[in-house]
């Protein structure tokens, strides 16, 4: 007999998708400048004075990763921008594969461009997976804390992943480990206990002056254990979407693509003064 969770997961996915609409025409033009997403003439409003920079995850890109969240934020009056980073030669569409430290330098340059173009003093960053972790290098080592008000991570790889313990086998296959580091450096950097993550987390997870929010899912099959997404620090809010709505069965990819529970919590983090309670009903907001 199927468990009740396995029965409800498809239904829940449909409800979450309904919230963002299923019109192909809308998503087909989501990244067009006329939609307000990556519209370099957008000027932040008094209500939302900081541009939002969206940072995709490993194997993602600046469009596909944000077909749900970017229009959701634009509709609520935000200036929204997204970048491609970590490109490897000869690999189209699938980005975020280069060394994470170098990707952080790309983010630094992109934020400078957004600030110069919009005239804003700071940005807010929303990142998925690697995109929620990588900006922490920019904040800690590249002066990003002076340019960023808040970092909101959706299922971020803040303390790496064990991939359900599989990464522990790499020490028995040194050739495979070498290939991983050489061909796809970002994967190697995100293995729990990697030199990159050890340096990043040494001395504390956060830096002063930045507000951190982590939105995780208990069904994460990529960042494992799922609690490794969470951060420690006085300026941190950690939340699992299932604690906001028990019917939310989003896993690592879905939580960023179409999870309106997560989206609502993102908006709460962007505008805490006007935050409202996130519940299962938030899928219809």
């Amino acid at each position: 007999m199927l468990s009740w969770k396995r029965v409800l997961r498809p239904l829940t996915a449909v409800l979450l998708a309904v919230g963002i609409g299923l019109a192909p025409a809308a998503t087909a033009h989501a990244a067009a400048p006329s939609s307000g997403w990556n519209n370099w003439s957008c000027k932040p409003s008094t209500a939302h004075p900081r541009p939002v920079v969206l940072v995709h995850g490993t194997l993602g890109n600046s469009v596909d990763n944000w077909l749900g969240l970017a229009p959701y934020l634009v509709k609520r009056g935000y200036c929204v921008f997204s970048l491609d980073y970590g490109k490897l030669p000869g690999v189209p569409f699938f980005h975020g594969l280069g060394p994470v430290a170098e990707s952080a330098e790309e983010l630094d340059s992109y934020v400078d461009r957004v600030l110069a173009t919009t005239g804003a003093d700071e940005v807010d960053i929303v990142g998925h997976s690697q995109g929620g972790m990588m900006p922490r290098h920019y904040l800690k080592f590249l002066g990003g804390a002076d340019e960023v008000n808040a970092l909101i991570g959706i299922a971020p790889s803040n303390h790496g992943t064990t991939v359900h313990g599989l990464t522990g086998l790499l020490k028995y296959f040194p050739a495979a480990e070498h290939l991983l580091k050489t061909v796809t450096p970002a994967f190697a950097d995100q293995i729990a206990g990697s030199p990159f993550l050890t340096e990043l987390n040494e001395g504390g997870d956060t830096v002063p002056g930045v507000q951190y929010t982590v939105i995780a899912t208990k069904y994460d099959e990529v960042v494992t254990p799922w609690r490794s997404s969470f951060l420690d620090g006085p300026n941190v809010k950690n939340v699992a979407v299932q604690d906001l709505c028990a019917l939310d069965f989003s896993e690592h990819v879905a939580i960023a693509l179409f999870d309106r529970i997560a989206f609502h919590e993102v908006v709460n983090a962007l505008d805490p003064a006007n935050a409202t309670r996130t519940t299962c009903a938030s899928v219809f907001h």
Side-chain angles (χ1 to χ4, degrees):
M1 181 179 293
L2 292 175
S3 70
W4 65 273
K5 288 185 178 181
R6 290 185 62 187
V7 172
L8 284 176
R9 283 188 191 186
L11 175 61
T12 305
V14 169
L15 289 175
L16 290 170
V18 165
I20 60 171
L22 298 177
T27 57
H29 297 88
S34 60
S35 73
W37 173 17
N38 281 336
N39 177 3
W40 292 94
S41 65
C42 184
K43 298 298 180 184
S45 65
T46 301
H48 303 304
R50 293 178 299 275
V52 178
V53 175
L54 303 178
V55 187
H56 65 75
T58 309
L59 294 173
N61 61 61
S62 62
V63 176
D64 295 340
N65 218 134
W66 306 117
L67 289 174
L69 182 59
Y72 182 94
L73 295 177
V74 169
K75 183 178 179 180
R76 285 154 180 78
Y78 290 91
C79 290
V80 180
F81 302 90
S82 61
L83 76 156
D84 288 310
Y85 71 87
K87 297 180 181 180
L88 293 182
V91 182
F93 308 117
F94 301 105
H95 306 318
L97 295 171
V100 178
E102 293 181 10
S103 294
E105 294 177 359
E106 295 181 55
L107 175 62
D108 186 5
S109 297
Y110 190 81
V111 169
D112 287 345
R113 180 187 175 195
V114 170
L115 292 176
T117 303
T118 62
D121 294 325
E122 293 180 309
V123 302
D124 290 322
I125 294 177
V126 181
H128 173 230
S129 194
Q130 179 191 166
M133 173 275 292
M134 176 268 280
R136 293 178 49 225
H137 181 90
Y138 157 57
L139 297 178
K140 187 172 184 178
F141 300 113
L142 304 177
D146 295 330
E147 301 175 327
V148 177
N149 168 70
L151 171 60
I152 303 160
I154 303 174
S157 52
N158 280 320
H159 296 95
T161 179
T162 66
V163 194
H164 298 286
L166 292 178
T167 58
L169 299 176
L170 286 174
K171 60 185 177 182
Y172 300 109
F173 302 95
E177 184 174 18
H178 175 73
L179 183 64
L180 185 68
K181 293 178 179 178
T182 304
V183 177
T184 53
F187 282 113
D189 284 344
Q190 291 177 89
I191 294 173
S194 72
F196 173 82
L197 288 171
T198 298
E199 180 183 27
L200 177 63
N201 294 316
E202 187 176 8
D205 290 347
T206 64
V207 297
V210 179
Q211 298 301 312
Y212 296 81
T213 300
V214 174
I215 304 168
T217 171
K218 297 178 182 180
Y219 299 110
D220 200 321
E221 78 288 15
V222 175
V223 175
T224 63
W226 69 269
R227 286 185 179 275
S228 65
S229 285
F230 285 169
L231 295 171
D232 291 320
N235 46 344
V236 171
K237 178 183 179 182
N238 293 312
V239 61
V241 289
Q242 287 77 24
D243 292 336
L244 305 173
C245 174
L247 296 177
D248 190 327
F249 297 109
S250 291
E251 39 65 65
H252 186 78
V253 175
I255 191 175
L257 282 181
F258 56 73
D259 189 338
R260 294 276 292 231
I261 305 300
F263 292 2
H264 190 269
E265 200 63 11
V266 166
V267 170
N268 280 347
L270 292 172
D271 188 10
N274 295 298
T276 58
R277 185 183 175 198
T278 302
T279 68
C280 292
S282 297
V283 299
F284 302 109
H285 290 178

